[in-house]
Amino acid sequence: MPTTEADMSRFTSSCTLLTTVALALLLSACGGTPKRSTPSAPPAGDSRPAPTAPQGGGYYKDDGPDANPPANLDSIPDAVPRDEPLHRFANRPYTVFGQRYVPATALQPHRQRGVASWYGRRFHGNPTSSGEPYDMYAMTAAHPTLPIPSYARVTNVTNGRSVVVRINDRGPFLRGRIIDLSYAAAHRLGYINAGSATVEVETILPSSAVVASTAPAVTPVQPAAAGGARQAYLQLGVFSTRANAEDLRGRVHRELAAYADRVHLLADGERFRLQLGPWPNENDARRAAAEIGRTLGLQPFLVVR
């Protein structure tokens, strides 16, 4: 304790200085904006803030729907898969929040089911992990480990809607989320307001080709042209061998002769897909799916492209 007037003066000055410093630190702490933890070896251009678990399935913080979205959101075409060189830096291993991620460094078949979220106006124009500006109205997505760039078909398992997106960013890093779609892609899948949805993600290999068929009724399925009308197909199955796909195609010809001219056998990497179509819209395809399901004892999977 101070014992003289001079001691008291020095003590008071010291207390004032400490109080001022403490107050400044407190104000600084209160006024600062939390920063996203960056990877120890960050993907190029990854500047999105750390995701927070949405409450009730909502979107991240104030990253809500755009106040004035384009009038043509429903007609924005899918990404068109093409051969592209992989990014020089964005596919290196990295760590976020103590979790290490090792991106694939080659295009290969990949399929997973889980929760998708989306990101929009809060990040519009910011650089993605590929270095490209994020465009919330383009058909793109962020994935923790799929190669950059690569392409994937994302299907909302609740309503059957499907889109093709180009992977050009990293994320999401919230446990339980497997992919972050652009605003446009999430709108097409119908979960903008919900904030999240259960989806199936399946890579599309640019080298995928239509399997030549010996059946004269089978015609190749060509990708829809950019800006063109999308059509609905029913996927009956995906097989690891062509023989199994041919077996099911034979059943369609025998038991559903009316649909024989709609059968398409496609090769996708090491897998073979059997699809029926096209139908001009999803409603027509769903009505056909009910009959096909009863006859073949399976559940057709709606694909729109």
Side-chain angles (χ1 to χ4, degrees):
M1 292 293 293
T3 57
T4 66
E5 183 176 347
D7 291 338
M8 178 64 75
S9 177
R10 285 193 296 272
F11 177 75
T12 303
S13 297
S14 298
C15 289
T16 301
L17 176 61
L18 291 172
T19 301
T20 301
V21 171
L23 180 60
L25 291 173
L26 179 61
L27 291 175
S28 175
C30 291
T33 301
K35 303 293 183 182
R36 176 182 180 173
S37 299
T38 55
S40 57
D46 188 3
S47 58
R48 296 188 293 141
T52 303
Q55 299 299 315
Y59 35 80
Y60 170 71
K61 289 189 174 179
D62 60 346
D63 188 30
D66 195 353
N68 298 293
N72 66 336
L73 270 181
D74 289 316
S75 61
I76 293 177
D78 287 353
V80 179
R82 59 189 176 90
D83 286 306
E84 296 185 71
L86 296 187
H87 196 279
R88 183 178 178 184
F89 303 109
N91 297 304
R92 294 177 176 178
Y94 63 98
T95 301
V96 175
F97 306 133
Q99 175 70 43
R100 180 173 170 80
Y101 298 89
V102 181
T105 55
L107 298 176
Q108 56 191 354
H110 174 90
R111 188 170 188 170
Q112 68 182 138
R113 178 177 290 209
V115 176
S117 46
W118 65 269
Y119 60 127
R121 68 186 184 195
R122 184 179 175 89
F123 313 103
H124 188 63
N126 290 350
T128 62
S129 296
S130 66
E132 304 162 349
Y134 171 59
D135 182 354
M136 63 190 288
Y137 301 122
M139 300 301 286
T140 62
H143 191 279
T145 57
L146 285 179
I148 291 179
S150 61
Y151 295 83
R153 180 177 297 281
V154 184
T155 302
N156 185 333
V157 300
T158 300
N159 58 25
R161 297 182 186 178
S162 180
V163 295
V164 175
V165 294
R166 181 172 177 267
I167 309 296
N168 70 345
D169 204 2
R170 290 291 175 225
F173 302 118
L174 183 64
R175 182 170 298 179
R177 303 295 168 92
I178 64 171
I179 196 168
D180 242 352
L181 296 188
S182 66
Y183 176 90
H187 172 84
R188 285 268 304 277
L189 291 188
Y191 71 91
I192 283 292
N193 293 329
S196 63
T198 300
V199 301
E200 186 168 272
V201 178
E202 194 166 9
T203 54
I204 297 175
L205 305 181
S207 58
S208 297
V210 176
V211 175
S213 172
T214 57
V218 179
T219 56
V221 178
Q222 300 296 334
R230 293 179 291 136
Q231 295 178 308
Y233 294 81
L234 294 174
Q235 184 162 291
L236 304 185
V238 181
F239 306 90
S240 58
T241 67
R242 177 170 179 168
N244 289 339
E246 293 282 10
D247 286 345
L248 182 55
R249 181 167 65 175
R251 284 192 62 197
V252 173
H253 279 265
R254 292 191 305 271
E255 302 176 33
L256 292 165
Y259 295 101
D261 61 343
R262 296 175 182 255
V263 182
H264 306 280
L265 181 58
L266 301 93
D268 183 1
E270 298 178 352
R271 288 175 297 180
F272 300 86
R273 303 170 185 275
L274 196 68
Q275 295 184 353
L276 287 179
W279 278 269
N281 56 64
E282 295 182 22
N283 288 336
D284 287 351
R286 291 182 191 280
R287 282 192 287 270
E291 177 188 355
I292 294 165
R294 288 192 300 268
T295 302
L296 300 180
L298 52 79
Q299 180 61 53
F301 185 78
L302 182 65
V303 175
V304 179
R305 55 185 173 84

